[in-house]
């Protein structure tokens, strides 16, 4: 418990204060992402953190148990993270099958590729999705671990 | 191909194992078999490297330096083989005894992946990330066991080594700033034209980072707490595999990237090494706790590597490589053996003790022989006296503990540990014996490793 | 003593368990016997050798040759080995029964004995200095386990480790000598070295080093003190190792490299002096020892002194004499050791003062050991007579000092060995004989027979000695002992020695004073005192330094920071600083960045001084966001974005963790002087670290490279389908780094899970 | 600007180092966080060129050096990972040891030391021999005389 001598701010109120501060930067960040148009390659990491921050808001607002009850999908976070990593690794190392060097993308540099609007389809996208999944999974796990500290102490 | 597989195999398997329940025997043995498979792949890679020269991969099919250069050379594969071997032995040892934490197998396999990566990369930043991968895994591992001692060990280990890692990053940034590249080969070339002051400062940063990892005097304070606190298998991994990062780093960065600075700092290195030898040796004498004695012994033993590095020259570097290899095997063997009891283990511990003291028929003797050659080439009586004093000290501290724990105790009274655990220790001991009875592979290996190291450094051209 | 205890236990309790026949021992015995005949046949066939590469990188060879010198030691190691092993089958069975140890303990004994025998044969025939070193240390390791065989006896363990320390550490000198020679002459092969090496300072140093190793092994003064202690070993070990093998190894090495030692006058003189000293010290101390094996141990020191002295003389005669001496001595000494063991086993006593008049009760042993003792004392009709004849001849050739010394040495030998035998077998009956064993007497009798045969037919022994002398001297050596009834110097010296020896035997008071004075001096100033003081001091120093070492987390960190700072300072001072540092220019956005950096600096300092954790948490966020702003201004929007997000996440986690921590500690800095002092120290350490970081960072920032690989990245980015070059680098050019980085993230969280809930990831 | 960046990084590093030496483990974590910031700042400061963002670079543009930015991204993420781990470790330590003060941790070490003393003595005896059981040469000779008197 943080109980600063004399001033008596309860821990939960501290957390709540910080929680109330948090939406601002995360919304700003999301906006920045959209405005800057990351669509070209997409940045999995940033997207992942944004989602994780949104989840963290739920944690802050309704507590760990509440959040995990509201979003049961969260309990798959470890699997999501590892799937993400495997996906990223697969996109990085699948060229080995063709005898190419790792982290070479298909279509290869310079070759034409399919586009969906601004979204370019090539294997790098897989890696980005992998990164995204991993970041979401990992950060949610982190929230889970730190968010439930009190229950752990009791047991 | 082999190189990529050596990297990928433990990486993928480790990722999956991380979220599996490692207390399940099947999971633990899956981890061990992954490690064994990695070892086999590495062995093939090593055969390739020793037979046909370096294996080189540039990621993404880009020109070198733009993509990350991975290069398996004799020095790298030697350390990779050695480290994965130690990790495998420790993992098998723990799997036999029953894994205590769910994440142990996954962490160990990922650690192997990180080590593999950093030993084969020829790019300093990718060295850093692999290094962090290995270190993060070992931070998590150091708390393995979860008791008070282990926790304290983990905290000390993590805090001190994190500091070391950040010092390393500062130097990486510096190296980029003054050379405009991250590929080791190009850095080595361009460093020659950079202001010596800046280069020496950067080199000092690298030196400090690796010394912290190795636990050289005076950066060693963390080491006894950690090695004595951690469980035997973890201590074996930390001292036999993770500490190799320090030795390898000193060799690769010192002799490979900063040969001139290495020469400049020769005397300083020798002095630091000498102090390490004496300090570690003397303090190991009155410890009482086997693991703590081994920890101080480790401080002393890495001193030899530093001394050899300080003397440099082909002989000095060969001695440094050889001694690092032998020392890593010794430490793995001794830490694993210290955790079990029984007839085979006593023998294994004795062989380890002889090896530490450099007495035939254990591999340490080949290392000592090379060190003496180094000392004589350096034409330094003081150095030779120091080496002898170090050997004498190690005989005293190893054998007093050996007698108390393994010779004096009646084996009938002490309950013998599971046979497979003892067999693992014995297997390592056989390896140490073989290294002395047929020293040629060790010598040739170290010779080639040094050749690959110096031929790539700008001083050679 | 273990033996006494075992016996006491046997008397009190039920009879000790009977052990099965000692077949491992007999196997060892048979192996040694086969080895003996192989050596014999090999030598008679001309003594061929072979050499195969061992470690080509170091030019090491497994090269062996069964020359005369190798044959002598090989035959001794296997021949006496076979006899002692046979003796040991019975002795060890009884020993184990007395101590109530199981038959399984034999497996801790015989393999070492056999390995020892093999190592001795290897040592005898090895022709490569490193190979010699390996076998040399191998014998030391075996002897460690054999001396320490009685594991429950603290004395045995201490003695074992003492023998190991003294012989192994000094053996390192040999390795250094070998490497020195290799550095100078490019080979480890002894025959080639002998051809190449000339007199030089290197030669002297190397020769001296090798000699030190050999002398320690042969228990020569001042490194002799381990041998009497090693008597804690079971008797077969002493009968073998401390008569014909372990201690012989030193003299063997001296013989093997004798032609190298010869190149240095200094080393040869050293051998003379040390040999002489050992003869006198060993002899005088042996005069009055009480324990049977102690008499023999000091006798061994003295007897090997003879051989060292002979090698030190370096003449043809002395080389031959040394080789002959080693044979005669080994035969006699092992017989005497076995006698001591048989007596102790039979009576349970191991002190001369408690024994006597055994002659009538153990007649065969008495006669056999009488022959052995006579041989040691060089009485006629034994092979020992000739060893002294040759010794006297060499001493006479050398000069008057050695002549006198030789007579005194022989007199001492006669006196102590005479006392030994007379006290044991003659006089009033003391001690009870409870155990009789043919197996334990037969080997003694056999050796006695050899002694007598050698006293009558010297030719085979002389031939062997001559051949060995030829190896050590490097020139033909004549060894031609025989009985000559004339007033030759040798005969006169022998008569003088007998007379003097007889007088000493008859004057126990004199010898007691002499022996005890020397012993007391040795106790006070002797090398063993030095050894003990050294170990003790080492232990004290170790504990003392450890007491000074503070190993809490903070010291560990300070121990990184401060030396690191000093090293950086050293590096800074070591190189010229002219033009090494630049201030840089300020332009454009920099005017905004500068105040931001200023803000960061101030807030950072506030964090360092802050007393509240919450304030720290908030200030950390301020620093983080300010840095993100700096990154944005510098043209690094990607970094700025990620920095903001990472900072937010960290703030969240930090506060979450903080909220659950126990109450903040009272106040770090309140009051006490200690705290203030520590705080000042922390400030100093922090400043050193900051200063070092400043120097380093400023240093390399001042020297930017002219071109960068990132120009290529920018050029190639479109090819990598990347509009944002940074993203292209992260995802493509350096995609591998990213893969590792996200793995680190996963591993770290798994680590968190390991710590927080024993690895449960959810 | 060079010296400004160097100064800022050095202050971050030095303050971090100072915090590492504090008794309070939470401050230690804060120290590591500051040092991590120092590292990222140094990486960014190592850019060989400072200009505009490197997005869709045209031939006439003066782009920033993109490589350090990529490195800084990686370093940031790794910093997050390690700090989280360290925080968890500190938390665990506080729970187990019931204190966040380092001195209390060191005290447990002292207990271990005390327990080791007996083993230390045993070690000593292995090489130095048991006190009192040593037999000096002169004593050994006197044994014999005593025997004779009896």
């Amino acid at each position: 418990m943080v109980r600063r001598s004399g001033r008596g701010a309860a821990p939960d109120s501290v957390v709540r204060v910080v929680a109330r501060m948090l939406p601002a930067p995360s919304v700003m960040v999301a906006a920045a992402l959209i405005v800057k148009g990351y669509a070209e390659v997409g940045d999995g990491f940033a997207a992942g953190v944004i989602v994780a921050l949104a989840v963290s808001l739920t944690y802050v607002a309704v507590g760990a148990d509440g959040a995990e009850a509201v979003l049961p999908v969260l309990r798959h976070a470890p699997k999501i993270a590892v799937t993400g990593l495997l996906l990223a690794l697969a996109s990085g190392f699948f060229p080995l099958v063709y005898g190419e060097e790792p982290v070479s993308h298909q279509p290869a540099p310079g070759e034409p590729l399919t586009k969906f609007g601004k979204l370019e389809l090539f294997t790098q996208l897989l890696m980005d999705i992998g990164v995204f999944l991993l970041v979401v999974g990992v950060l949610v796990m982190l929230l889970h671990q730190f968010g439930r500290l009190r229950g752990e102490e009791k047991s | 191909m082999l190189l990529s597989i050596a990297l990928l195999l433990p990486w993928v398997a480790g990722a999956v194992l991380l979220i599996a329940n490692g207390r399940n025997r099947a999971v633990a043995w899956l981890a061990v078999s992954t490690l064994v498979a990695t070892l086999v792949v590495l062995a093939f890679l090593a055969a390739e490297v020793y037979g046909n020269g370096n294996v080189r991969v540039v990621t993404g099919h880009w020109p070198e330096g733009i993509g990350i250069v991975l290069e398996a050379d004799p020095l790298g594969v030697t350390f990779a083989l050695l480290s994965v071997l130690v990790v495998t032995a420790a993992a098998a040892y723990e799997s036999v005894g029953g894994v205590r934490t769910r994440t142990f197998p996954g962490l160990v396999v990922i650690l192997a992946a990180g080590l593999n990566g950093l030993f084969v990369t020829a790019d300093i930043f990718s060295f850093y990330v692999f290094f962090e991968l290995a270190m993060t895994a070992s931070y998590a591992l150091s708390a393995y066991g979860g008791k008070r001692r282990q926790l304290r060990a983990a905290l000390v280990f993590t805090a001190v080594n994190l500091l070391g890692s950040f010092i390393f990053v500062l130097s990486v940034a510096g190296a980029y700033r003054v050379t405009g590249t991250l590929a080791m080969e190009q850095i080595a070339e361009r460093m020659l034209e950079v202001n010596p002051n800046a280069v020496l400062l950067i080199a000092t940063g690298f030196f400090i980072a690796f010394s912290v990892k190795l636990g050289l005097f005076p950066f060693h304070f963390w080491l006894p707490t950690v090695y004595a606190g951690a469980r035997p298998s973890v201590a074996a991994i930390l001292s036999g595999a993770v500490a190799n990062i320090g030795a390898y780093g000193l060799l690769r960065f010192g002799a490979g990237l900063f040969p001139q600075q290495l020469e400049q700092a020769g005397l300083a290195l020798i002095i630091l090494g000498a102090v390490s030898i004496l300090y570690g040796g003397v303090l190991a004498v009155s410890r009482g706790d086997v693991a703590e004695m081994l920890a101080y012994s480790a401080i002393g033993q890495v001193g030899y590597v530093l001394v050899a590095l300080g003397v440099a020259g082909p002989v000095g570097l060969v001695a440094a490589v050889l001694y690092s290899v032998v020392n890593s095997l010794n430490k793995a063997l001794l830490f694993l053996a210290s955790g079990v009891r029984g007839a085979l283990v006593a023998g294994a511990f004795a062989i380890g003790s002889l090896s530490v003291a450099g007495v035939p028929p254990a591999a340490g003797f080949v290392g000592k022989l090379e060190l003496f050659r180094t000392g004589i080439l350096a034409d330094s009586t003081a150095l030779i006296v120091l080496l002898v004093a170090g050997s004498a000290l190690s005989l005293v501290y190893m054998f007093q503990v050996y007698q108390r724990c393994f010779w004096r105790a009646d084996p009938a009274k002490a309950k013998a540990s599971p046979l497979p655990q003892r067999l693992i220790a014995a297997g390592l001991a056989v390896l140490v014996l073989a290294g002395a009875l047929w020293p040629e592979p060790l010598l040739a290996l170290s010779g080639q490793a040094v050749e690959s190291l110096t031929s790539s450094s700008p001083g050679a051209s | 003593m273990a033996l006494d205890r075992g016996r006491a236990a046997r008397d009190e309790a039920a009879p000790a368990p009977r052990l099965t026949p000692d077949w491992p021992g007999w196997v060892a015995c048979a192996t040694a016997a086969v080895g003996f005949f192989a050596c014999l046949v090999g030598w008679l066939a001309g003594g061929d050798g072979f050499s195969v590469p061992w470690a080509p990188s170091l030019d090491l060879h497994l090269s062996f040759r069964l020359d005369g010198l190798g044959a002598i030691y090989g035959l001794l190691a296997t021949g006496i080995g076979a006899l002692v092993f046979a003796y040991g089958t019975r002795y060890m069975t009884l020993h184990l029964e007395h101590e109530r140890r199981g038959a399984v303990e034999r497996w801790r004994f015989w393999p070492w004995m056999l390995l020892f025998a093999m190592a001795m044969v290897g040592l005898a025939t090895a022709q490569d200095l490193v190979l010699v070193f390996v076998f040399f240390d191998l014998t030391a390791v075996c002897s460690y386990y054999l001396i320490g065989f009685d594991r429950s006896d603290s004395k045995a363990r201490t003695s074992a480790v003492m023998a190991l320390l003294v012989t192994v550490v000094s053996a390192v000198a040999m390795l250094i000598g070998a490497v020195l020679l290799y550095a100078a002459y490019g080979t480890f092969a002894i025959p080639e070295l002998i051809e190449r090496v000339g007199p030089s300072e290197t030669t002297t140093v190397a020769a001296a080093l090798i000699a030190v190793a050999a002398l320690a092994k042969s228990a020569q003064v001042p490194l002799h003190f381990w041998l009497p202690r090693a008597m804690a070993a079971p008797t077969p070990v002493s009968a073998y190792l401390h008569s014909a093998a372990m201690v012989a190894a030193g003299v063997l090495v001296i013989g093997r490299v004798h032609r190298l030692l010869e190149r240095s006058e200094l080393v040869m003189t050293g051998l003379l002096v040390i040999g002489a000293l050992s003869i006198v010290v060993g002899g005088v101390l042996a005069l009055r020892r009480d324990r049977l094996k102690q008499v023999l141990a000091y006798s061994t020191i003295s007897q090997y002194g003879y051989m060292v002295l002979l090698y030190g003389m370096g003449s043809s005669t002395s080389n031959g004499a040394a080789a002959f001496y080693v044979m005669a001595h080994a035969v006699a000494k092992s017989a005497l050791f076995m006698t001591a063991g048989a007596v102790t086993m039979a009576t349970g006593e191991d002190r001369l003062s408690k024994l006597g008049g055994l002659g009538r009760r153990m007649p065969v042993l008495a006669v056999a050991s009488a022959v052995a003792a006579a041989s040691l004392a060089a009485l006629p009709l034994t092979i020992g007579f000739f060893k002294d004849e040759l010794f006297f001849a060499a001493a006479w050739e050398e000069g008057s000092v050695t002549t006198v010394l030789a007579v005194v040495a022989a007199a001492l030998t006669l006196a102590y060995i005479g006392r030994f035998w007379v006290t044991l077998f003659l006089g009033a009956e003391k001690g009870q004989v409870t155990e009789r064993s043919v197996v334990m007497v037969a080997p003694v009798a056999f050796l006695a027979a050899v002694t007598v045969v050698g006293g009558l037919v010297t030719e085979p022994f002389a031939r062997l000695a001559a051949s060995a002398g030829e190896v050590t001297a490097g020139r033909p050596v004549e060894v031609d002992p025989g009985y000559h009834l004339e007033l030759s110097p040798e005969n006169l010296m022998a008569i003088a020695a007998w007379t003097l020896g007889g007088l000493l035997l008859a004057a126990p008071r004199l010898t007691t004073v002499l022996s005890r004075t020397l012993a007391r001096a040795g106790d006070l100033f002797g090398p063993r005192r030095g050894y003990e003081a050294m170990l003790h001091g080492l232990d004290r120093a170790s504990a003392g330094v450890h007491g000074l070492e503070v190993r809490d987390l903070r010291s560990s960190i300070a121990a990184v920071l401060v030396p690191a700072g000093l090293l950086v300072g050293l590096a800074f001072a070591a190189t010229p600083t002219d033009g090494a540092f630049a201030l840089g220019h300020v332009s454009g956005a920099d005017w905004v960045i500068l105040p931001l950096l200023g803000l960061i600096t101030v807030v950072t300092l506030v964090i360092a001084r802050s007393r509240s954790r919450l304030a720290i948490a908030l200030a950390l966020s301020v620093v983080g966001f300010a840095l993100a702003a700096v990154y944005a201004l510098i043209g690094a929007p990607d970094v700025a974005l990620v920095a903001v997000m990472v900072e937010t996440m960290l703030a969240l986690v930090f506060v979450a963790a903080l909220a659950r921590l126990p109450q903040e500690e009272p106040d770090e800095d309140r009051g006490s002087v200690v705290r203030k002092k520590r705080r000042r120290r922390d400030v100093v350490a922090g400043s050193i670290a900051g200063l070092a970081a400043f120097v380093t960072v400023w240093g390399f920032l001042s020297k930017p490279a002219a071109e960068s690989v990132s120009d290529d990245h920018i050029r190639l980015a479109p090819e990598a389908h990347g509009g944002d070059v940074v993203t292209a680098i992260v995802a493509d050019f350096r995609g591998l780094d990213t893969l590792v980085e996200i793995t680190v993230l996963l591993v770290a969280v798994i680590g968190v899970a390991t710590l927080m809930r024993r690895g449960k990831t959810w | 600007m060079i010296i400004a960046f160097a100064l800022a990084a050095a202050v971050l590093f030095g303050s971090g180092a100072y915090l590492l030496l504090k008794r309070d483990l939470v401050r230690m974590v804060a120290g590591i966080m500051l040092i991590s910031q120092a590292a990222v700042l140094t990486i960014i400061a190592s850019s060989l060129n400072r200009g505009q963002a490197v997005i869709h670079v045209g031939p006439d543009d003066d782009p920033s050096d993109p490589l350090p930015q990529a490195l800084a991204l990686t370093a940031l993420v790794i910093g997050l990972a390690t700090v989280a781990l360290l925080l968890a470790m500190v938390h665990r330590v506080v729970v187990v040891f019931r204190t966040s003060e380092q001195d209390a941790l060191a005290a447990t070490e002292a207990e271990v030391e005390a327990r080791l003393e007996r083993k230390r003595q045993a070690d000593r005896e292995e090489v130095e021999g048991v006190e009192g059981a040593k037999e000096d040469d002169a004593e050994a000779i006197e044994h014999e005389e005593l025997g004779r008197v009896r």
Side-chain angles (χ1 to χ4, degrees), chain A residues 102-119:
Chain A
V103 207
S104 336
H105 298 291
Q106 293 293 327
E111 284 176 21
L113 37 73
T114 324
K115 287 193 179 188
F116 263 112
K118 280 200 121 183
L119 182 68

Side-chain angles (χ1 to χ4, degrees), chain B residues 142-188:
Chain B
S142 58
Y144 177 64
K147 298 230 176 65
R148 280 173 154 236
R149 290 191 76 186
Q150 279 110 37
L151 211 52
R152 205 175 109 74
L155 188 67
V156 172
F157 180 66
T158 309
V160 174
N161 281 286
L162 270 180
L163 184 59
S165 305
F166 285 119
I167 294 174
F168 184 80
V169 186
L170 289 186
S171 278
V172 170
Y176 172 73
R177 171 76 171 182
V178 299
T179 61
T181 178
L182 294 169
M184 287 183 184
E185 224 170 310
Q186 291 165 355
I187 290 178

Side-chain angles (χ1 to χ4, degrees), chain C residues 290-312:
Chain C
D290 194 24
R291 288 190 199 278
L292 302 179
K293 280 168 76 181
Q294 293 292 323
V295 176
L296 299 175
Y298 280 99
S299 155
T300 301
I301 294 170
S302 174
Q303 295 288 310
Y304 278 94
Y306 283 68
M307 291 168 239
V308 170
L309 185 74
L310 283 169
Y311 277 126

